[in-house]
Amino acid sequence: MKKIAFLLVAGIAASILPAQAQRRSNPGNPALEQQIIQELQKKAGDGKFYHASLFGVKSNGLYDNTASFQKAVDYISENGGGTLYISVGRYLTGAVQLKDNVSIYIHGTVVGSPNIFDYKGHKAIFWAEDAENISISGGVIEGQGSAIRKQTEELKGKGLLNSSCPLPTLMYFKNCRKVSLNKVICRYPATEELYVTENSEADIEGCINDTK
C-alpha cells in the first residue's frame, strides 16, 4: 500500500498503474455482484450498508443524481457512517460533498456532468473538506473532461462564467484525515490531475489511469 501524508499532491497519469494490467472482467456478472455485496455488508456491519437506489439514484446515464447522491451521503454520515453501494450502470452527477465516516463502493460507472454549472464552483465530482474516515473503492469515475473544457471556454469567452471558476477533477480532498482510494478506474477529468489531496492524509492503492 502506498501511504501518503502531504501538503499538496496531485495524482497524474505517470503515478497510476497501467489500466491494461488491472481492468475488471465482466462487471455485469450477477454472481460477482452478489458476492461483493455480501462482503461489503459483512464489513460494514448491521444496518450500515445502503444501496444507492434507496435514495432515488438512477443508473440510466441521463438522470441527474447529484441531489440523490448528496442525500445518501448526508444520511449515512448523520446516522453513524456506513457504506454506500453503487451498483452496475452509469450514474450521471455533478459535485457531491463527502462527509465523515462514509465509504463509497462503485460497481458501475459514476459519470461527471458535462455542465460546469452542476459543480457549483467545487473542484471535483467527489470532494471533501475538513472530513475524516472517507473511502472510495472499485468501479469507474469518468469526468467527460473535453465537454466541460469546451463549454467553460465558450462561457468565459462570452463573459457568462467567472474566469476564476475551477475545472473539476475527479476527486478532491482538503484538510482531510484517513482518506482511502482503492482500485478506482479514473477517466477523462477536465484537469491534468486525476485527483488532488491538499493538506490531507491518504492511502492510495491500485488506482488506474484509463484516459488513453
Side-chain angles (χ1 to χ4, degrees), residues 121-143:
H122 298 299
K123 295 182 178 180
I125 297 171
F126 290 117
W127 68 277
E129 292 189 16
D130 303 308
E132 63 180 9
N133 296 324
I134 294 171
S135 71
I136 303 176
S137 303
V140 178
I141 302 177
E142 185 175 301

Side-chain angles (χ1 to χ4, degrees), residues 4-212:
I4 304 177
F6 33 58
L7 177 62
L8 175 63
V9 169
I12 59 176
S15 69
I16 308 298
L17 299 178
Q20 292 83 356
Q22 296 196 38
R23 288 183 186 275
R24 287 165 184 77
S25 61
N26 196 10
N29 185 327
L32 174 60
E33 181 167 22
Q34 187 58 38
Q35 179 183 349
I36 291 171
I37 289 173
Q38 290 174 353
E39 291 174 355
L40 291 171
Q41 287 175 326
K42 183 177 180 180
K43 184 177 180 180
D46 293 340
K48 298 296 182 182
F49 178 86
Y50 304 88
H51 282 270
S53 59
L54 292 173
F55 301 92
V57 173
K58 297 182 179 5
S59 62
N60 59 15
L62 301 173
Y63 179 79
D64 181 0
N65 289 294
T66 308
S68 297
F69 275 138
Q70 193 62 64
K71 178 180 175 182
V73 169
D74 293 348
Y75 178 88
I76 293 171
S77 182
E78 291 167 3
N79 286 274
T83 298
L84 178 66
Y85 179 74
I86 301 173
S87 187
V88 174
R90 289 178 65 83
Y91 300 83
L92 185 69
T93 186
V96 177
Q97 182 183 10
L98 302 183
K99 298 184 178 181
D100 292 351
N101 305 314
V102 174
S103 297
I104 293 180
Y105 189 95
I106 305 168
H107 195 64
T109 300
V110 174
V111 184
S113 170
N115 187 344
I116 189 64
F117 294 110
D118 288 337
Y119 297 88
K120 302 186 187 310
H122 298 299
K123 295 182 178 180
I125 297 171
F126 290 117
W127 68 277
E129 292 189 16
D130 303 308
E132 63 180 9
N133 296 324
I134 294 171
S135 71
I136 303 176
S137 303
V140 178
I141 302 177
E142 185 175 301
Q144 298 201 77
S146 60
I148 297 177
R149 288 193 298 271
K150 180 179 179 181
Q151 182 202 39
T152 300
E153 290 172 3
E154 291 176 352
L155 291 171
K156 287 182 177 180
K158 296 176 181 178
L160 300 176
L161 185 66
N162 193 308
S163 61
S164 64
C165 181
L167 289 170
T169 188
L170 304 181
M171 297 169 281
Y172 174 81
F173 304 95
K174 181 178 181 180
N175 300 329
C176 294
R177 296 177 59 250
K178 299 180 181 179
V179 175
S180 175
L181 306 179
N182 185 36
K183 296 181 181 177
V184 181
I185 299 175
C186 303
R187 292 178 180 163
Y188 317 125
T191 62
E192 293 183 0
E193 302 86 8
L194 300 173
Y195 55 82
V196 174
T197 57
E198 184 176 348
N199 194 30
S200 296
E201 299 173 1
D203 286 331
I204 303 169
E205 182 179 11
C207 291
I208 302 167
N209 172 24
D210 193 26
T211 60
K212 297 180 180 180

